[in-house]
Amino acid sequence: MRAVRYDRFGSTPVVVDVPTPEAPADGVVVAVRATGVCRSDWHAWKGHDDSVSLPHVPGHEFSGTVAAVGPDVTEFRVGDRVTAPFVFACGTCEQCRDGATQVCTRQQQPGFTLPGSYAESVVVPHADVNLVALPDGVGFAEAAGLGCRFGTAYHALHARGRVAQGEWVVVYGCGGVGLSTVLVAVAAGARVVAVDVSAAALERAAALGATTVAMEEDAPSTVQRLTGGGAHVSVDAYGSRATSVAAVASLRPRGRHVQIGLLLDDEATPAISMGRVIADELELLGSHGIAVGEYDAMLDDVVAGRLRPAESIGRTIGFEDLPEALEAMDRPASGSGMVVAVL
């Protein structure tokens, strides 16, 4: 099969022929029909994640059809339309038994600890735990983001941020996960302020229902003014010292901050004002992916039209364009929204 692989961190990825994987006893092989190009893939490619071993096939958000099934799998058959969260859970640890598969202590991740979805096939272990059946009305391209960016936004706002109708939500960073967060917040009946450095990204956020603010030094003050005292929920969907600090500074008393964007390398230790966290009883919440058990409710909303993940897609590309799309993340974004490769 074809796969995109890099042999050194930061080197140009190339399309290579590799053996088609076999299904493990409790797993399946998924024929990939769509895979997203995510900033987390860029972090892995740059060597920011020590779980990645070289040579490596990236990619962690995908959809497709089941191509092969292990003998111990009972819930899925060849030909089933599926997706999966980027956390492959074990299904047996304490966290999994509690339904928190997104923080499984024995988790594996495609595109990080395992070969990823920049390939014509990808293996999903513990398939009865980790695979999610796709309704016929959900297309492969929009479903690719349900495993990471859109699913991450859904979990961040509902399970972690506890967003409620009428509340103010501020989103820092309007890439794929940021625009997904805008969509999820609007669907929940929240009022949204979107902050970014890119005019194109802000224009896209406005089209999805957000009030927009340019990312400048006084952005938190502007958000405080627009929201009448600060947001109830802030989300850093980019992941940097500047955006995380500004997002927390945009909250009203007793507000909830949700950190989605990864803070790695030199960005790992933002200077959050813990004095204000105490005085205003702020909540600082991490958010990691989405639990398998949350998919039913999210997909019900997608099928009913209340959630529209297709609107977070900026452009679709072909498989052979994946190497250039990954390298392009080294440069300022020229567009907005998710990039999805369709096979």
Side-chain angles (χ1 to χ4, degrees), residues 37-333:
V37 180
C38 179
R39 187 168 176 81
S40 298
D41 300 326
W42 177 85
H43 279 299
W45 172 58
K46 298 298 284 186
H48 299 160
D49 192 315
D50 59 12
S51 71
V52 175
S53 298
L54 298 174
H56 186 62
V57 176
H60 64 284
E61 48 183 14
F62 63 91
S63 63
T65 57
V66 175
V69 180
D72 296 340
V73 176
T74 62
E75 300 297 322
F76 295 90
R77 300 288 182 269
V78 171
D80 286 350
R81 304 173 74 254
V82 294
T83 186
F86 72 84
V87 172
F88 291 164
C90 72
T92 59
C93 70
E94 176 186 348
Q95 286 69 31
C96 286
R97 293 195 304 271
D98 287 343
T101 55
Q102 79 283 2
V103 290
C104 169
T105 56
R106 293 193 286 268
Q107 66 183 259
Q108 297 173 290
Q109 295 182 14
F112 299 94
T113 64
L114 298 174
S117 56
Y118 286 18
E120 292 179 320
S121 298
V122 65
V123 171
V124 180
H126 312 304
D128 287 340
V129 175
N130 294 309
L131 269 190
V132 176
L134 278 181
D136 290 339
V138 180
F140 288 118
E142 61 186 304
L146 300 180
C148 180
R149 279 173 277 191
F150 204 88
T152 292
Y154 187 90
H155 174 76
L157 281 179
H158 287 289
R160 303 298 287 153
R162 310 185 306 279
V163 66
Q165 184 171 356
E167 288 189 321
W168 280 103
V169 175
V170 60
V171 181
Y172 277 79
C174 296
V177 70
L179 292 175
S180 297
T181 305
V182 171
L183 280 165
V184 173
V186 169
R191 296 169 288 177
V192 183
V193 178
V195 186
D196 202 285
V197 297
S198 163
L202 292 176
E203 183 178 351
R204 187 72 175 273
L208 298 178
T211 301
T212 59
V213 173
M215 178 58 180
E216 297 173 347
E217 187 174 344
D218 63 346
S221 298
T222 303
V223 173
Q224 291 269 351
R225 175 177 54 79
L226 289 171
T227 58
H232 299 85
V233 179
S234 66
V235 177
D236 176 12
Y238 178 73
S240 72
R241 289 183 181 181
T243 51
S244 58
V245 170
V248 173
S250 298
L251 289 171
R252 68 180 60 206
R254 307 201 77 192
R256 290 99 66 194
H257 171 67
V258 186
Q259 187 66 39
I260 295 177
L262 297 174
L263 287 89
L264 300 173
D265 238 18
D266 294 338
E267 299 292 316
T269 53
I272 303 295
S273 173
M274 296 308 291
R276 181 165 181 250
V277 171
I278 295 167
D280 284 347
E281 292 192 350
L282 304 181
E283 296 182 50
L284 305 181
L285 302 161
S287 189
H288 186 244
I290 180 172
V292 174
E294 294 175 75
Y295 272 84
D296 283 348
M298 180 173 64
L299 285 169
D300 284 347
D301 283 343
V302 173
V303 171
R306 292 184 291 270
L307 287 175
R308 304 179 305 279
E311 293 186 10
S312 67
I313 297 174
R315 64 189 178 102
T316 57
I317 61 175
F319 179 85
E320 64 281 357
D321 299 317
L322 277 167
E324 191 281 329
L326 187 58
E327 286 192 305
M329 297 185 78
D330 258 347
R331 305 184 292 274

